[in-house]
Amino acid sequence: MSAVVTLLTSLGLTDATDFDAVERGFMERVHGIVSAASESYDEAQVKAQEQELKTLFQQFFDYAMQWAAHDVKAQMKIPGRPKDHPDATRLKAEARNVLRGLQGNITNFAVAYMHINRFTTLVRDGIRNDKSKALDISGRKIKWTADAGVMMARYEKRKAELLDYKLRFGTARDLLASMENDWVVVTKSLEALYGPVEAEGMERSLRASLRIGDMKRARTVAKAALEGKLRFGAERPDAVRQVLDQTLTRLVNFYDQHQSDLQDEEKRLFLRAAELGLVMEAQAQEIRKINGFVMKYSMPYMEFKLGTLSHLRDKMMVIGSLENLMTLYRKMLSGLIRPLADMGAVREYESTVINRTRYLQNNFFGEVPTIIRESAKVVEEFRVLQRDYHKNVAQAEIEGVDLGDEDGADDNTSATGSTPTPQSAASSIAAS
């Protein structure tokens, strides 16, 4: 079965049907495929619809060429048929040269039109579905800028670091909690041997050495703590020193063994569970602020992506529509079939068909693949953003959200200017 017969049969028409009716049926089928694809989330199905669209256009163009050849023969049999104007020969020769190319470009445009409509629908539906999960930010006029994606990525990276610290510091806090009794023993033993003033100095020197991971110096300090001048009236000094020696040895060995587990972002060591708890609370607050930023700006960012898609679609549709291209094709075909008998007809054909085709070929058709690639990239970025947003929604239910107070002062909030850059929450307590 030929492509033409297949086309007519699929449209429920016969070879006796006039060209206009075939074209109308063809365009209805084209729009039906485009509409079905725009609602599809099945990539394999969309691939099949793309191939169906390409096949349909090829069948129609084969039909159009067959119809044109038949019409030319009919025209030649008309008695007294007008002849072409001499200038028409050049224009018709150019039309024949570009006709196949125009067919291919129209097919590519139709496929691109199908994809960009689908992209727009997917993003719009994604935004509509996710708005039910969005935070209540009514009354906040949140602005989005093109470089705010960089800011979002920076916050996401920082949050990943904080969550890593949260996991590691949770283990470290349990380790430090196991040494609290030893610190109590050290403090009481030093005070019993040397008095509170001397004891505080010795313990401070020990903490300073351990804090920076200088275990050699820490052992020297521990040894000196056992050899200091006793305070007057110290009771049972030998027994106290024995306990102190065992405890200091255990402490220094502990921090030596767990240095990598107890380091903060500046590579200094946490020594007590309480100080690590303060840092973890600060990190939790920072995570809540980041959650607030992401939750506030994810939806505007998604809408920004939708706006980008709309811009790309408008850029592609600058020529008008698929119907405009089919009208151009029909005019080119008609000019090849029928005589251009006078200069007026020649000039009209040149200005409305040949020059228009030249313009599209030189300035537009080459941009269509680029527009589709950019649109696909926008959709992929949107999907990554949406996936991260879903993850953040789930995490925020556990970690909490801090929207900040900046919007209260100014309800025109910019994604790049309203929220401070994340700072290190795990800074060292080691000044002590």
Side-chain angles (χ1 to χ4, degrees):
M1 185 180 293
S2 69
V4 172
V5 174
T6 301
L7 172 69
L8 294 175
T9 302
S10 68
L11 297 179
L13 305 173
T14 69
D15 56 3
T17 308
D18 65 44
F19 186 88
D20 290 338
V22 174
E23 186 177 21
R24 284 194 301 273
F26 161 74
M27 289 303 293
E28 288 176 5
R29 176 66 61 81
V30 167
H31 285 297
I33 295 172
V34 170
S35 177
S38 70
E39 303 293 332
S40 177
Y41 286 80
D42 186 333
E43 297 294 337
Q45 182 181 357
V46 173
K47 282 289 185 184
Q49 288 164 327
E50 177 182 331
Q51 186 56 51
E52 182 183 1
L53 197 60
K54 290 178 179 178
T55 300
L56 186 63
F57 268 92
Q58 185 59 58
Q59 290 172 347
F60 176 79
F61 289 137
D62 287 348
Y63 165 78
M65 297 301 290
Q66 183 175 307
W67 169 81
H70 181 273
D71 206 26
V72 167
K73 290 180 181 179
Q75 290 280 329
M76 298 298 292
K77 295 178 181 179
I78 299 176
R81 175 181 179 272
K83 295 184 178 181
D84 279 326
H85 187 277
D87 288 351
T89 304
R90 172 182 57 84
L91 293 179
K92 289 193 174 186
E94 182 172 355
R96 291 189 188 94
N97 287 334
V98 301
L99 185 62
R100 289 293 183 186
L102 181 60
Q103 290 176 353
N105 285 322
I106 290 175
T107 301
N108 292 339
F109 178 87
V111 171
Y113 177 71
M114 179 191 79
H115 282 300
I116 203 164
N117 274 356
R118 176 174 179 260
F119 290 156
T120 303
T121 300
L122 292 181
V123 172
R124 184 181 293 115
D125 286 352
I127 292 173
R128 184 185 304 116
N129 293 336
D130 285 341
K131 276 187 175 178
S132 63
K133 305 182 184 75
L135 292 177
D136 181 9
I137 53 174
S138 56
R140 301 169 189 258
K141 298 177 183 178
I142 299 174
K143 297 178 181 178
W144 192 258
T145 55
D147 60 343
V150 176
M151 194 110 175
M152 184 77 79
R154 186 188 307 166
Y155 274 87
E156 290 287 0
K157 180 180 178 181
R158 176 58 183 162
K159 182 177 178 181
E161 292 174 354
L162 289 171
L163 291 175
D164 181 64
Y165 278 118
K166 179 182 178 182
L167 181 63
R168 186 162 66 84
F169 286 173
T171 302
R173 183 172 56 182
D174 293 339
L175 288 171
L176 292 174
S178 70
M179 304 307 292
E180 286 298 314
N181 288 337
D182 282 351
W183 278 108
V184 173
V185 170
V186 168
T187 301
K188 290 183 176 181
S189 297
L190 289 174
E191 289 180 354
L193 293 173
Y194 310 115
V197 176
E198 290 294 326
E200 173 58 28
M202 291 178 179
E203 190 171 339
R204 186 186 305 113
S205 181
L206 177 64
R207 289 199 305 267
S209 301
L210 292 174
R211 186 79 72 186
I212 61 175
D214 189 345
M215 298 305 158
K216 182 178 179 180
R217 180 183 165 193
R219 288 186 172 91
T220 300
V221 172
K223 183 179 179 181
L226 297 170
E227 299 171 352
K229 183 179 179 180
L230 296 174
R231 71 178 178 85
F232 180 76
E235 298 180 0
R236 302 173 60 201
D238 292 339
V240 173
R241 275 178 169 153
Q242 183 179 1
V243 173
L244 179 61
D245 183 20
Q246 294 172 349
T247 306
L248 288 173
T249 300
R250 187 163 53 249
L251 271 177
V252 174
N253 288 342
F254 168 83
Y255 290 106
D256 193 8
Q257 178 184 352
H258 295 288
Q259 282 194 63
S260 60
D261 299 318
L262 302 177
Q263 286 179 339
D264 67 9
E265 293 184 70
E266 298 174 2
K267 306 301 181 184
R268 300 195 227 187
L269 302 188
F270 292 104
L271 304 182
R272 308 292 291 268
E275 63 191 33
L276 185 52
L278 291 174
V279 170
M280 292 181 70
E281 178 54 36
Q283 287 182 333
Q285 178 61 25
E286 188 176 353
I287 288 174
R288 287 192 290 271
K289 285 184 176 293
I290 292 175
N291 286 342
F293 177 88
V294 172
M295 296 290 283
K296 278 195 297 184
Y297 294 107
S298 285
M299 294 308 299
Y301 192 23
M302 291 181 191
E303 289 170 351
F304 172 76
K305 290 297 183 185
L306 179 60
T308 302
L309 269 183
S310 297
H311 170 72
L312 289 170
R313 187 179 185 279
D314 291 344
K315 185 178 178 182
M316 195 181 84
M317 301 299 291
V318 68
I319 62 162
S321 65
L322 182 59
E323 282 76 10
N324 293 145
L325 290 178
M326 291 304 297
T327 298
L328 177 64
Y329 177 76
R330 176 73 178 271
K331 286 181 177 180
M332 180 174 286
L333 207 58
S334 296
L336 288 172
I337 296 170
R338 293 171 175 77
L340 303 176
D342 55 58
M343 183 58 69
V346 169
R347 293 291 171 256
E348 182 180 2
Y349 189 68
E350 181 175 30
S351 63
T352 62
V353 177
I354 301 300
N355 289 347
R356 177 67 171 165
T357 303
R358 287 174 186 157
Y359 170 78
L360 293 176
Q361 287 179 325
N362 296 332
N363 301 287
F364 174 74
F365 285 131
E367 290 296 312
V368 172
T370 301
I371 291 172
I372 290 303
R373 282 195 300 271
E374 291 178 357
S375 299
K377 182 180 178 182
V378 169
V379 173
E380 183 58 32
E381 291 171 349
F382 173 83
R383 284 172 172 162
V384 172
L385 172 66
Q386 189 180 43
R387 186 166 57 248
D388 290 344
Y389 176 69
H390 292 166
K391 180 177 68 177
N392 279 308
V393 168
Q395 290 177 342
E397 292 176 353
I398 301 171
E399 298 155 356
V401 175
D402 183 354
L403 288 175
D405 299 326
E406 65 275 0
D407 293 322
D410 181 2
D411 62 359
N412 276 312
T413 305
S414 166
T416 56
S418 64
T419 306
T421 302
Q423 300 296 322
S424 170
S427 58
S428 178
I429 313 280
S432 61

